[in-house]
Amino acid sequence: MNAPVFSRRALLQGGALVVGFSLAGRSALAQTAASVATNGFSKAIAPDQVDSFLALGRDGRATIFSGKVDLGTGIETAMAQIAAEELDLPLDHVTVVQGDTALTPDQGPTYGSLSIQKGGVEIRHAAATARARLVQLASERLGAPVDALVTENGGVRPKAGGTGVSYADLLKDGRFETKVDPAITTKDPAHFALVGKSVPRLDIPEKMTGRFTYMQDFRVPGMVHARVVRPPAIGATLEGVDDGSVADIPGLIEVVRRGSFLAVVAEREWAAIKAARQLKATWSAWEGLPAQDRLWEHVRATKVTKDDVTSSTGDAEAALASASKVLQATYDFAIHTHGSIGPSCAVAEFKEGLLTCWTASQMTHALRMQLAAMTGLAPEAVRCIYVEGSGCYGRNGHEDAAGDAALLARAVGRPVRVQWSRADEHGWDPKGPPTLIDLKAGLDAAGNVAAWSSQFHVPEGAAGNVPLVAATLAGLPHETTMAPGNVIQNSALPYGFPNVRTVCHRLADTPFRPSWIRTPGRMQNTFANEAFLDECAAAAGADPLDYRLRALKDPRGIAVLRRVAELAGWQARPSPAKEDAKAEVLRGRGLSYVRYELNRTYVAGVAEVEVDRKTGQVRVPRFFVAQDCGQIINPDGVRNQLDGNVIQTVSRVLMEEITFDRSAVTSLDWASYPILSFPDVPQVVADLIDRPTEKPWGAGEPSAAIVPAAISNAIFDATGARLRSVPFSPAKVKAALQGT
């Protein structure tokens, strides 16, 4: 009997799972040796098994199973490059399956710029182990020593020439049945044919031609649609529902209430939307948020649960007391929403006691455990399948939409699709928490930093699961700890100052449910550090670049600073520039630098700004960036990351800030929460430093960290006014200009 061939879409729809593969192209995934149900699935996903990461088909093509997922970041292509390189396969002979808890190993959530650094390296080791196993099998088949053989184009042959054998002929059922050797010798970078080369992104053709299936486009047979009716206040409880108020809507299936979770389910999406708008319900009052105009007083008054001392060198307090000059400033960074362009969406289905959820979650394995806890199912009875969503900048609302869909699918006994509205997205996705930073610096007689002391006010918690809204409202089991991300990172400095003490005061609570938004903590902390250092340089009458180079000992850090200065045509002088004080538009440039988490990717940037003195509007026409992320897999992909990072962060710095009253978010649309529009997108000029023999580090977040300070420093250079509060709105700029 011929083995059936499954399309990629069919596989995503969960119709069958596979253990052996024969790929005819990118969109045709597999032929099966066994079709099994989710809970009886036999494919390896253990992270120590080669078969968990890859399979070879009888046609010699490979399928890679990645627990890391592509969020529009090009990871799919980079993973394919890494695997193809180690296996000596053409790139078009590799297909990547991502984030399916039944098929892919748990490589941790896709965050923190760890996809290549951790996930890619794991796949590299698995592929290298697989290649070694293939060579061993070929040695036995050909009767030749291992070191007399070479892999090439999907086969093994004698180095001296002669007949070889294809990979497909060496394996039974495509299985390796061997453990990953983390100490395996991987390919010598000198022999790289794919890694380090720009290759076209695998996902772009389908996206450019409209054939790509985003999560928001995804459908399954028999599916119905739902809308959740959100409380008018975040902490409100549901007191009553008038089911009859929607009885006249054709196609309405059910009004679902579980505790304070309220939703409508209908045959068609528009019917669900109308029912959600029309349904009458009564809610309790709740005004538990702080007044927005007293936010920073609220943050400062919040209970501190502990202090994390992130660096301590010398005696900062004593050095401050004896300094020639002492500077002091407070910086703050507003609450941001993710602002995902495509609102969150998910589809869930219960069948024979098993839950399958299609989701754009960047942490499908963790979501699987959350859904299992919420529903009371065993984890083995829950399968989460990743489908790329439109717009994802950290832990936004995709997991919450999955929780909504799972609850409703169980309630109505049919597959349910939940699509959030724009107001749902802005009002109910978790937020980037507010950050408040107090800094002091003491300068010696030569103007150098002799002492540095900083106090960061940030919520407690780290990266992890964010409580699901559905579970919380319905009173179902859920996490209660906060997970704002590792927001203490980069509070310590990369510079060699003699006396330093940096402390993070961990707050017991924070307004709104916090989560990790792109570059959590590293961006806010680097903003304060690099802008305040610029204040020190100005007080010393020093050029900002020279001032940094004096204190920086790391040669790779020095290299990115010099490269970005060269790229931007940096002219050494102190800030501010002495421009025409009567000019309507003032221009300046600002510098910023970070070593991400002080142990990986190096980035330096220069912002050019134009400040309209009359309106307070700030434009960033060009932004220069130099980055060293070690070994580069796909240079074009890294440049994509730099472009996206810089553009999005310029938007966050110049205009993004949620507004709220004592009950809820009030900036529920793009008019009240504007983002950067196309006419104001800066030109991003990037320079990459490739180090092929070094470890590969992340590129998804680091360059965002340097943007706020570079813009603040450029505004100071242009105007002499220091902006210490993100966003740099026209009102804040005008107020600062009046003080100069």
Side-chain angles (χ1 to χ4, degrees), residues 9-10 41 90 159 163 178 190 244 266 306 404 441 451 462 592 657 697 701:
R9 179 167 300 184
F41 186 64
K159 288 180 182 176
T163 304
T178 188
K306 65 171 181 174
D404 297 342
S592 182
E657 178 179 23
W697 288 324
E701 291 181 345

Side-chain angles (χ1 to χ4, degrees), residues 25 152 322 376 387 409 539 597 618:
E152 183 181 78
S322 60
V387 184
E597 298 178 355
V618 177

Side-chain angles (χ1 to χ4, degrees), residues 86-132:
E86 289 298 328
L87 289 168
D88 276 322
L89 280 172
L91 184 61
D92 64 1
H93 280 44
V94 175
T95 299
V96 181
V97 173
Q98 309 171 67
D100 183 331
T101 58
L103 295 173
T104 63
D106 183 0
Q107 295 183 280
T110 304
Y111 60 25
S113 289
L114 293 168
S115 291
I116 295 298
Q117 181 174 326
K118 178 180 184 296
V121 168
E122 289 173 349
I123 286 174
R124 171 175 283 167
H125 286 153
T129 305
R131 184 181 58 178

Side-chain angles (χ1 to χ4, degrees), residues 3-27:
V5 175
F6 293 90
S7 70
R8 180 170 187 262
R9 179 167 300 184
L11 185 69
L12 290 171
Q13 289 172 345
L17 306 177
V18 294
V19 295
F21 295 85
S22 176
L23 304 177
R26 182 167 180 265
S27 61

Side-chain angles (χ1 to χ4, degrees), residues 26 70 72 74 76-77 199-212 214 636 640:
R26 182 167 180 265
D70 197 323
E76 179 188 13
T77 306
V199 302
R201 293 235 323 239
L202 302 177
D203 55 323
I204 295 301
E206 291 191 6
K207 290 177 176 174
M208 291 297 292
T209 55
R211 298 196 301 266
F212 191 84
Y214 286 100
D636 183 60
N640 295 164

Side-chain angles (χ1 to χ4, degrees), residues 34 89 157 179 315 454 527 531 586 615 695:
L89 280 172
R157 66 167 177 80
K179 287 192 173 184
D315 188 338
S454 53
F527 162 53
L586 301 174
T615 66
K695 296 177 181 177

